Amino acid sequence: MPLVGLAQFFRRDIPGLVCGPGGADLVQLFHCPFTHGMHLERRYRLRWRQARHTEDVGRFLATPPEVPLLRWEHELPEPCVLHPEEVDTYPWAEDDTLPASLIARIDAWDDTQAAEHGPDAPSYQDDLSIPPGWRVGGYPSWASTGPMAVDCASCATPMRLLLTAEGYEMDAGSHSWVPLEDRDPALRGKASIRGGRSVVQPTRLRFGRDRDLHVFACPADPGHPPRWLLA
């Protein structure tokens, strides 16, 4: 069954994108449109390529593979144009992701904000550390599972986050990350988001219930198999 393309990124467009095996500068993410096994497992594939080879139109299929009949609408991505934006991110604050003293200071700051501004107060996890939506590099969000060690199966090196795919580009808890053109600055929370589903969920995809698909790569050898994690 033909795999469905989810994303492709050129290194020339994203300065923080690591090089792949043999200096490959184009990475593509695919998934099988069907689930597998008793646990309804999703299967993904990461492909590295040389960007210059994609300009050889003689290598392309004359007729693209047809998308099979799908059970759910969210299994087929809506085509989107990527507009990369570079932002500073910070680690998820839980367990040993940061020094215990720093996590205590962050928790105290969150409590102060909540006391002063109520339920829509800014928080470190939602507004300052990790943006929602699709992103390259940075830090993983551990909102669903809690922090986990992700080591390379080939050499046991701690892996780095290569790519995060998420169903929603923004939500009620990510006010500071919502683009200015897509929000009402006078409001907070879900009420501040303008544009409806096409803005909030442009790709139409979902990766489990309130979860992100994290793709990890080995920093010691990009040729080692990646790891996938829903968190």
Side-chain angles (χ1 to χ4, degrees), residues 55 61 74 76 92 100 103 117 123 141 145 155 177 191-192 195 214:
E55 299 171 357
L61 294 175
H74 66 260
L76 181 66
W92 187 260
I103 292 180
H117 304 287
S123 68
S141 170
T145 63
C155 66
W177 301 106
S192 69
H214 294 316

Side-chain angles (χ1 to χ4, degrees), residues 87-94 97-98 123-143 161 164 166 169-171 173-177 212 214:
V87 298
D88 293 326
T89 62
Y90 301 92
W92 187 260
E94 186 179 354
T97 58
L98 288 170
S123 68
Y124 173 81
Q125 305 285 42
D126 287 337
D127 293 279
L128 301 177
S129 62
I130 302 170
W134 290 63
R135 53 193 180 272
V136 173
Y139 298 95
S141 170
W142 300 112
L161 183 63
T164 298
E166 189 175 347
E169 287 295 306
M170 59 196 77
D171 55 38
S174 56
H175 179 82
S176 67
W177 301 106
D212 303 344
H214 294 316

Side-chain angles (χ1 to χ4, degrees), residues 64-85:
E66 294 184 4
V67 177
L69 181 64
L70 300 176
R71 183 177 181 183
W72 305 107
E73 181 186 46
H74 66 260
E75 293 170 337
L76 181 66
E78 183 74 21
C80 296
V81 177
L82 180 68
H83 300 283
E85 181 180 2

Side-chain angles (χ1 to χ4, degrees), residues 8-203:
Q8 70 173 8
F9 300 97
F10 291 87
R11 196 163 187 264
R12 63 173 179 255
D13 297 327
I14 304 177
L17 183 63
V18 299
C19 285
D25 55 353
L26 167 62
V27 62
Q28 298 171 323
L29 178 65
F30 301 88
H31 83 143
C32 178
F34 299 104
T35 55
H36 299 264
M38 62 181 296
H39 299 295
L40 303 180
E41 174 190 357
R42 287 287 184 186
R43 295 182 179 176
Y44 302 92
R45 180 172 296 177
L46 196 72
R47 291 291 302 270
W48 287 96
R49 303 180 188 275
Q50 300 287 348
R52 65 179 184 274
H53 293 164
T54 66
E55 299 171 357
D56 182 4
V57 295
R59 297 166 58 92
F60 295 166
L61 294 175
T63 303
E66 294 184 4
V67 177
L69 181 64
L70 300 176
R71 183 177 181 183
W72 305 107
E73 181 186 46
H74 66 260
E75 293 170 337
L76 181 66
E78 183 74 21
C80 296
V81 177
L82 180 68
H83 300 283
E85 181 180 2
E86 190 170 1
V87 298
D88 293 326
T89 62
Y90 301 92
W92 187 260
E94 186 179 354
D95 295 345
D96 58 354
T97 58
L98 288 170
S101 59
L102 181 54
I103 292 180
R105 290 173 57 194
I106 291 172
D107 290 342
W109 183 84
D110 284 344
D111 291 342
T112 300
Q113 296 302 308
E116 292 181 356
H117 304 287
D120 288 330
S123 68
Y124 173 81
Q125 305 285 42
D126 287 337
D127 293 279
L128 301 177
S129 62
I130 302 170
W134 290 63
R135 53 193 180 272
V136 173
Y139 298 95
S141 170
W142 300 112
S144 300
T145 63
M148 302 172 62
V150 183
D151 297 331
C152 177
S154 299
C155 66
T157 299
M159 305 186 85
R160 293 177 183 170
L161 183 63
L162 172 66
L163 168 66
T164 298
E166 189 175 347
Y168 295 85
E169 287 295 306
M170 59 196 77
D171 55 38
S174 56
H175 179 82
S176 67
W177 301 106
V178 179
L180 295 177
E181 63 269 22
D182 296 325
R183 73 182 184 189
D184 184 339
L187 302 175
R188 290 195 62 84
K190 190 175 181 178
S192 69
I193 302 174
R194 298 169 170 166
R197 183 184 179 188
S198 62
V199 169
V200 176
Q201 195 183 13
T203 64

